[in-house]
Amino acid sequence: MYSQTRDASRRVTATDLAKLRDKGEAIIAVSLHDAWMAELFDRAGAHILLVGDSLGMLFQGQPDTVGVTLEHIIYHTRAVRAGASRAHVVSDLPFLWASRNEDAALEALGRLMQEGGADSVKLEATERQIPLVTRAVEAGIPIMAHVGLRPQTARTLGGYPRQGRDAQSAATIRATAQALAQAGAYAVLVENVPDHLGSEITQQLTVPTIGIGAGVGCSGQILVAHDILGLSERTPPFARPFAELGIQAAAAARAYAQAVSSGQVGGRPPSTTRS
Ligand code: KIV
């Protein structure tokens, strides 16, 4: 789409994200899956581009994230890396990897950086993942921990219900976030929890929080690009669309089909025909 020098030294780092938090500047994050979208949001000023395993639903037409493999995320991370100039590229660790033995999980985290080109990796975590986070960070893999609603557990949860609604589960999420940050996670993504809980976690941590459906009190916000652009018909209730491109795309698809059927497509439109 656009060409620009790709200078790795200009890339946003985990340290830059911490500085933004300390200055009280909101961190802008987007989950997306291809080079075109990466370039679009990088140019718009996003600090973080997440190659989320939401690609299972949005790209592959799957019901959830369970079928997304390490190879899929590596492939899409390469694409996003190619489109990103400045933003920090984060790969999602797919289903099950964070629960495998630590050596296998560490290898998967490394492949996302070495083969995909990710700057860091996000993993859905409970306190069980603390040893893995410690080891990964020691090995040089920056980790973003994902707490609150963990979409990879959707089949156990029976969907995507809001988490942390009662005092006990809120306390568990707060403690998990704290422990993961202490283990070395450079940021904690907090998904689909009450606004007050998003704010409390943010105040208690010394690393940035990135919220999705967790209120405005987080250090930054993330949404899925499809939802931002209004491309997806099935959006979570907290996802605010900033355009309705899905409606325009459907109209363009119908207009194209109609034009082909009526013999109006095959050359340039008269206004753009060069002599
Ligand atoms: O997979 C994804 O896109 C995500 C975001 C919803 C945070 O994890």
Side-chain angles (χ1 to χ4, degrees), residues 109-129:
L109 293 167
R111 286 187 65 196
L112 290 166
M113 290 179 74
Q114 290 187 304
E115 296 175 39
D119 295 308
S120 67
V121 183
K122 170 170 88 61
L123 54 88
E124 296 186 13
T126 65
E127 301 221 354
R128 279 181 185 276
Q129 275 70 46

Side-chain angles (χ1 to χ4, degrees), residues 209-232:
T209 55
I210 310 294
I212 175 163
V216 293
C218 296
S219 324
Q221 299 291 331
I222 186 163
L223 283 179
V224 176
H226 278 67
D227 295 340
I228 296 170
L229 300 178
L231 283 168
S232 169

Side-chain angles (χ1 to χ4, degrees), residues 93 97-98 100-112 114 131-141 143:
L93 186 67
W97 279 100
R100 294 207 167 137
N101 74 64
E102 261 173 49
D103 288 342
L106 206 61
E107 195 171 322
L109 293 167
R111 286 187 65 196
L112 290 166
Q114 290 187 304
L132 174 61
V133 172
T134 307
R135 243 185 105 182
V137 173
E138 273 171 19
I141 302 169
I143 296 291

Side-chain angles (χ1 to χ4, degrees), residues 2-267:
Y2 312 103
S3 64
Q4 241 181 18
T5 312
R6 312 234 190 277
D7 177 358
S9 66
R10 286 177 58 245
R11 280 190 212 158
V12 175
T13 63
T15 310
D16 295 328
L17 298 170
K19 283 185 190 152
L20 288 172
R21 172 210 175 265
D22 294 344
K23 284 192 281 181
E25 282 182 39
I27 297 170
I28 305 157
V30 186
S31 173
L32 40 73
H33 313 113
D34 64 68
W36 190 89
M37 289 265 201
E39 193 146 0
L40 188 74
F41 282 98
D42 188 299
R43 289 191 151 220
H47 303 108
I48 295 176
L49 302 179
L50 167 69
V51 185
D53 60 1
S54 53
L55 75 86
M57 290 86 96
L58 295 167
F59 198 86
Q60 301 172 333
Q62 300 297 319
D64 54 32
T65 62
V66 169
V68 176
T69 67
L70 192 63
E71 280 67 29
H72 295 155
I73 298 281
I74 290 171
Y75 176 92
H76 284 271
T77 301
R78 281 200 194 129
V80 168
R81 176 84 279 157
S85 295
R86 195 183 138 271
H88 185 86
V89 174
V90 185
S91 288
D92 233 350
L93 186 67
F95 182 68
L96 224 54
W97 279 100
S99 303
R100 294 207 167 137
N101 74 64
E102 261 173 49
D103 288 342
L106 206 61
E107 195 171 322
L109 293 167
R111 286 187 65 196
L112 290 166
M113 290 179 74
Q114 290 187 304
E115 296 175 39
D119 295 308
S120 67
V121 183
K122 170 170 88 61
L123 54 88
E124 296 186 13
T126 65
E127 301 221 354
R128 279 181 185 276
Q129 275 70 46
I130 289 170
L132 174 61
V133 172
T134 307
R135 243 185 105 182
V137 173
E138 273 171 19
I141 302 169
I143 296 291
M144 177 186 288
H146 182 156
V147 303
L149 177 68
R150 291 175 292 117
Q152 289 174 7
T153 61
R155 293 193 194 179
T156 326
L157 296 173
Y160 302 93
R162 180 154 271 223
Q163 302 294 296
R165 288 206 287 206
D166 59 79
Q168 195 183 343
S169 82
T172 305
I173 295 169
R174 266 198 308 270
T176 304
Q178 174 86 316
L180 289 160
Q182 273 165 0
Y186 75 86
V188 177
L189 187 147
V190 187
E191 178 162 355
N192 202 1
V193 299
D195 293 6
H196 69 86
L197 183 54
S199 299
E200 285 160 21
I201 294 171
T202 304
Q203 281 156 22
Q204 125 195 333
L205 298 190
T206 54
V207 299
T209 55
I210 310 294
I212 175 163
V216 293
C218 296
S219 324
Q221 299 291 331
I222 186 163
L223 283 179
V224 176
H226 278 67
D227 295 340
I228 296 170
L229 300 178
L231 283 168
S232 169
E233 282 175 9
R234 286 173 298 163
T235 52
F238 51 74
R240 173 180 160 200
F242 291 78
E244 294 199 336
L245 299 191
I247 293 170
Q248 287 185 31
R254 283 194 302 272
Y256 169 70
Q258 167 65 27
V260 173
S261 299
S262 57
Q264 293 167 4
V265 173

